[in-house]
Amino acid sequence: MQTKWVICPKETIDKEAICQAGEIIRSGGLVAFPTETVYGLGGDALSPDSSRKIYAAKGRPSDNPLIVHICRVEDMKKIAVDIPRQAYVLAEHFWPGPLTMILKKAEIVPKETTGGLDTVAVRLPDHEVAQAFIEQAGGFVAAPSANVSGRPSPTLAKYVYEDMNGKIEMLLDGGQVGIGVESTIIDLTEDIPVILRPGHVTQEMLQQVLGEVCLDPTMLDVTNTEAPKAPGMKYRHYAPQGELTIVTGDPAAVSDKIKQLLLEDSKNGRKTGVIVSRQDEHLYDADSVKVTGDREDMAAVARSLFRILREFDEEQIECMYVQAFPQDGIGQAVMNRMLKAAGHKIIEAKE
Ligand code: AMP
Ligand code: MG
């Protein structure tokens, strides 16, 4: 199969391309498309066959459910039942946007889409191309991130093409995505809503609207070995081909430790990389130094993280280091993804 790569910026939507993309989905094919978080790999959410094709294209375990993307709030009622009032409150505040809600599924949603669960994940993305495409596709597009399972989620079309060329019919290229980490997932089927995956919509933002909101205990604790409730969160994820290590502690001790590790690696003939803020760029001598932006600008870190991990792969970097980020606001999502990318390898620098 030849994958058709079509440039489709949100400022000047190519209506013909969107119609074609919608037609592909309605006839059972797959289309990758931009959202505000990362690129999605879309198929018809109401077709068991299309969902099977998504799992096959990604090489994703079929117990890892897909998020159903909609383009109108009221469409939530067609795929979910017993919807709590909180879902409408959240939709009012955060949709369209980077928030996924877990609800009880309606009969119409096949188990293939939900990885065998009785619940369904629903999101209304804040991206003109995504919305126009979902509408043309029939309103319900199942879409995980458009990467091969385990690799960093794609934030640029070229990375989708790298992973999906020949496996999907079409790629809608909307340029670089805005947020860069996947949506926040909140489970509304429990008495107290639970965050299953942190994202751009933070716990504080959700608490302001809903009151009490808890975090899945397995989410950030490195030592916790319980199975997380979002099945996908248990897999090694977002991982570069080399070895990423997170270093925590006092900033001076962290930079000393990273310098020492870089020196050892290069003595051993290994290619090294570091991820740093603009302020720390001058500190390190590595084969590849990747700058995320200003130290305080966590949104820039979120936006660049997956791209940097892919660039390290392109440069065949073997050992990578990064200082731990503060876990407030979007920092929580960034650290969650980094811990997974590092296979939970985190060391403390002592003074
Ligand atoms: P991705 O689409 O690649 O961003 O991954 C979707 C994430 O949503 C995975 O971590 C899934 O396990 C999670 N997810 C999707 N549906 C459900 C559900 N019904 N219950 C819990 N987690 C879900
Ligand atoms: Mg993913």
Side-chain angles (χ1 to χ4, degrees):
M1 179 195 307
Q2 187 72 29
T3 299
K4 190 170 172 192
W5 182 341
V6 185
I7 306 289
C8 191
K10 62 178 168 194
E11 296 76 20
T12 48
I13 291 190
D14 177 344
K15 288 207 178 101
E16 209 183 300
I18 297 285
C19 280
Q20 257 186 46
E23 173 55 33
I24 291 170
I25 299 293
R26 281 183 278 113
S27 53
L30 303 181
V31 175
F33 62 100
T35 78
E36 78 280 34
T37 58
V38 299
Y39 274 82
L41 171 58
D44 180 356
L46 305 184
S47 151
D49 270 350
S50 297
S51 291
R52 277 190 217 106
K53 279 192 196 167
I54 293 177
Y55 289 108
K58 275 182 71 80
R60 176 170 176 144
S62 58
D63 69 344
N64 187 357
L66 310 172
I67 294 173
V68 180
H69 292 68
I70 57 177
C71 58
R72 279 176 293 264
V73 175
E74 61 269 25
D75 286 349
M76 172 161 76
K77 290 185 228 156
K78 298 185 186 150
I79 51 171
V81 293
D82 301 341
I83 301 175
R85 195 190 57 87
Q86 294 147 319
Y88 294 100
V89 175
L90 288 178
E92 172 83 30
H93 279 84
F94 300 109
W95 276 2
L99 180 70
T100 296
M101 301 185 214
I102 307 291
L103 301 166
K104 277 193 203 149
K105 88 170 190 69
E107 202 64 42
I108 191 177
V109 185
K111 287 261 173 124
E112 282 77 1
T113 301
T114 64
L117 299 174
D118 292 324
T119 52
V120 60
V122 191
R123 172 163 118 81
L124 201 169
D126 185 14
H127 195 291
E128 287 84 346
V129 173
Q131 287 175 12
F133 160 64
I134 295 163
E135 165 128 55
Q136 285 298 317
F140 303 96
V141 173
S145 50
N147 51 287
V148 162
S149 195
R151 295 208 68 201
S153 302
T155 52
L156 287 164
K158 68 171 181 171
Y159 296 131
V160 178
Y161 196 73
E162 195 174 291
D163 282 13
M164 294 297 153
N165 181 26
K167 300 183 196 167
I168 62 176
E169 278 80 1
M170 192 172 186
L171 160 58
L172 294 170
D173 179 351
Q176 169 160 10
V177 301
I179 293 177
V181 291
E182 305 84 346
S183 58
T184 306
I185 302 180
I186 187 164
D187 184 356
L188 297 179
T189 65
E190 305 277 351
D191 291 339
I192 298 168
V194 189
I195 298 174
L196 304 184
R197 176 172 75 183
H200 187 262
V201 176
T202 63
Q203 185 178 16
E204 301 83 76
M205 289 157 80
L206 292 163
Q207 276 168 336
Q208 269 173 19
V209 180
L210 291 185
E212 197 178 356
V213 174
C214 16
L215 286 180
D216 184 326
T218 63
M219 210 168 65
L220 288 162
D221 180 357
V222 226
T223 53
N224 197 320
T225 51
E226 273 171 67
K229 193 171 173 195
M233 299 299 280
K234 70 175 179 274
Y235 295 107
R236 179 154 189 249
H237 235 131
Y238 320 120
Q241 277 143 26
E243 196 175 329
L244 174 68
T245 304
I246 303 171
V247 186
T248 66
D250 171 75
V254 167
S255 65
D256 284 348
K257 183 74 190 169
I258 294 180
K259 281 180 204 162
Q260 177 209 332
L261 291 164
L262 287 170
L263 204 62
E264 283 167 21
D265 290 332
S266 62
K267 272 193 198 142
N268 292 327
R270 312 199 59 190
K271 267 188 107 173
T272 55
V274 277
I275 305 177
V276 289
S277 63
R278 202 179 310 288
Q279 289 83 349
D280 288 350
E281 191 183 353
H282 64 283
L283 288 177
Y284 302 108
D285 182 17
D287 293 307
S288 182
V289 177
K290 302 286 183 198
V291 178
T292 54
D294 276 351
R295 189 180 291 139
E296 313 306 333
D297 188 358
M298 283 309 288
V301 179
R303 207 176 308 121
S304 56
L305 178 66
F306 289 140
R307 172 181 52 77
I308 288 175
L309 294 177
R310 293 232 174 204
E311 286 173 356
F312 279 147
D313 282 353
E314 285 162 3
E315 297 162 25
Q316 298 180 321
I317 302 297
E318 298 169 88
C319 307
M320 290 149 273
Y321 301 96
V322 61
Q323 178 172 356
F325 292 100
Q327 294 196 16
D328 47 345
I330 182 98
Q332 190 163 66
V334 168
M335 276 304 284
N336 169 269
R337 305 312 191 272
M338 285 214 313
L339 276 167
K340 284 179 185 295
H344 286 273
K345 187 154 180 234
I346 179 161
I347 56 177
E348 199 182 336
K350 302 252 165 34
E351 280 162 81

